[in-house]
Amino acid sequence: MLPGAALAEEEELARGHYPLPETGNVIGEVYTVTVEEGDTLIDIAREHNVGYEAIRMANPEVSLWAPFAGTEVVIPNQHILPDAPREGIVINLSELRLYYYSSEDVVETYPISVGRDGFATPVGVTKTTVKVKDPAWSPPSSMREEAAARGEPAPEVVPPGPDNPLGRHAILLGLPSYLIHGTNKPDGVGMRASRGCIRMFPEDIESLYERVPGGTKVNIIDQPFKAGWSADGVLYAQSFPQLEENEGTFEPILNALEVVTRAFGEEQPPVDYAMLRGVVESPDGSVVSLLRQAEEEPTPAAPQPEEADGLFQELELSALGGHLN
């Protein structure tokens, strides 16, 4: 469970709210809860502000729909803040998570659904525009055509109500046809399930709807690998599965090395590169320390050519299997 002091601090804040760290960029804690009779893993995830994929990856041996009573479930509520300006709303697509810098000393974070393969949510900077309570939904023509081909009714407009996939609250964005909205199928929050819009749990979008002003900056990014410092000086990393459409567009190990190097600035990072490689190759959202222990310091490596520029030295190459191809 959460340490007593940390738990007391978190309980003073509303759901999804965390103190913005004065130093470092790691928030929250990982803790465990016990399954009670009749619980599903999806119910537990929603109660603890966690999405579908996050709870599944944190508990790979636990049944999503019928976990045994008494089972301990890991709640992955520790997060590294994205490498982006701390203002407005930041949406990290690979992480399936939204961050809202709602005040100078508080950051909020919530699980989301984003566009599935073939309907990718676009990366870019936009802003909130109009907020709509109990919105009607107009299915796109492509969806109506698909439904008609299956012999199903294809309404041009779905009125507000339990069958409306937008839920009861919607925040329109400056990107035409893209919204942050609720859902009538909350079990799918935390996976790639939409046609490009950002879906949230009904209680989370209702909270944002009431408080996010029009014109708020929305920065949509894709950072499958994040690195950051805790307040007590530990370097952590967090890695998520790449979006299918981005696989092959960059080398994950190289990307991770670049992110870690930026975290250290001009210093030579004393990183456990075997751990780094494991985090990148088995992305499950876990927050993992990357710093080498003093007793694990390797024998100094032979100098590398100048063009390596410190990034691809012998230590890194050997820990990464001798090559980066």
Side-chain angles (χ1 to χ4, degrees):
M1 300 294 292
L2 276 169
L7 179 58
E9 182 180 26
E10 298 299 345
E11 286 182 339
E12 294 176 0
L13 297 173
R15 170 188 174 93
H17 291 56
Y18 295 90
L20 195 59
E22 294 181 4
T23 59
N25 51 1
V26 179
I27 60 172
E29 299 283 351
V30 176
Y31 55 97
T32 62
V33 298
T34 302
V35 175
E36 298 183 2
E37 192 68 39
D39 284 346
T40 70
L41 209 58
I42 304 304
D43 295 332
I44 293 171
R46 182 173 179 179
E47 179 182 354
H48 290 271
N49 193 35
V50 176
Y52 179 99
E53 288 295 341
I55 200 73
R56 182 189 64 80
M57 291 190 296
N59 299 274
E61 304 300 322
V62 180
S63 169
L64 284 169
W65 300 106
F68 291 109
T71 301
E72 282 202 346
V73 172
V74 175
I75 305 298
N77 259 335
Q78 188 174 41
H79 313 287
I80 299 174
L81 297 177
D83 184 12
R86 294 182 178 183
E87 57 181 316
I89 292 172
V90 177
I91 294 169
N92 189 8
L93 299 177
S94 289
E95 188 179 0
L96 296 166
R97 202 152 192 94
L98 176 150
Y99 295 83
Y100 175 40
Y101 295 92
S102 54
S103 70
E104 291 184 358
D105 55 1
V106 171
V107 59
E108 306 174 28
T109 181
Y110 306 100
I112 57 173
S113 288
V114 302
R116 62 184 184 269
D117 193 20
F119 297 93
T121 305
V123 169
V125 177
T126 182
K127 63 181 179 180
T128 62
T129 57
V130 179
K131 297 192 289 188
V132 182
K133 179 77 175 291
D134 292 321
W137 177 57
S138 299
S141 57
S142 59
M143 181 177 286
R144 296 200 304 271
E145 291 168 1
E146 292 170 5
R150 297 192 299 268
E152 300 173 358
E156 292 190 4
V157 177
V158 177
D163 295 328
N164 191 312
L166 299 184
R168 297 203 59 197
H169 301 84
I171 302 174
L172 280 64
L173 301 179
L175 291 170
S177 302
Y178 289 94
L179 304 80
I180 302 172
H181 63 80
T183 178
N184 62 343
K185 296 180 179 179
D187 288 349
V189 171
M191 64 171 64
R192 299 194 65 187
S194 79
R195 296 174 76 93
C197 288
I198 308 300
R199 293 182 188 172
M200 302 182 70
F201 283 128
E203 58 271 28
D204 295 338
I205 183 61
E206 181 176 5
S207 176
L208 283 188
Y209 180 93
E210 299 295 338
R211 296 179 295 110
V212 172
T216 297
K217 179 181 176 181
V218 179
N219 188 5
I220 305 174
I221 62 176
D222 183 29
Q223 294 179 3
F225 179 88
K226 300 185 296 178
W229 295 94
S230 65
D232 56 355
V234 177
L235 179 69
Y236 287 101
Q238 193 174 22
S239 187
F240 301 90
Q242 279 185 266
L243 302 179
E244 290 89 338
E245 62 270 18
N246 291 341
E247 290 179 355
T249 59
F250 65 89
E251 168 53 53
I253 293 289
L254 283 176
N255 174 67
L257 285 171
E258 292 167 358
V259 171
V260 169
T261 300
R262 285 199 301 272
F264 274 90
E266 296 181 357
E267 299 179 20
Q268 173 61 38
V271 168
D272 182 336
Y273 288 96
M275 178 66 74
L276 174 60
R277 181 167 190 159
V279 168
V280 173
E281 293 183 345
S282 300
D284 62 2
S286 298
V287 177
V288 178
S289 172
L290 287 182
L291 293 181
R292 285 198 308 265
Q293 301 299 315
E295 62 271 18
E296 296 176 355
E297 287 289 343
T299 302
Q304 294 299 300
E306 291 184 2
E307 61 266 21
D309 197 28
L311 184 61
F312 307 119
Q313 294 186 0
E314 183 78 22
L315 170 62
E316 300 168 4
L317 292 174
S318 61
L320 296 173
H323 59 82
L324 294 172
N325 295 325

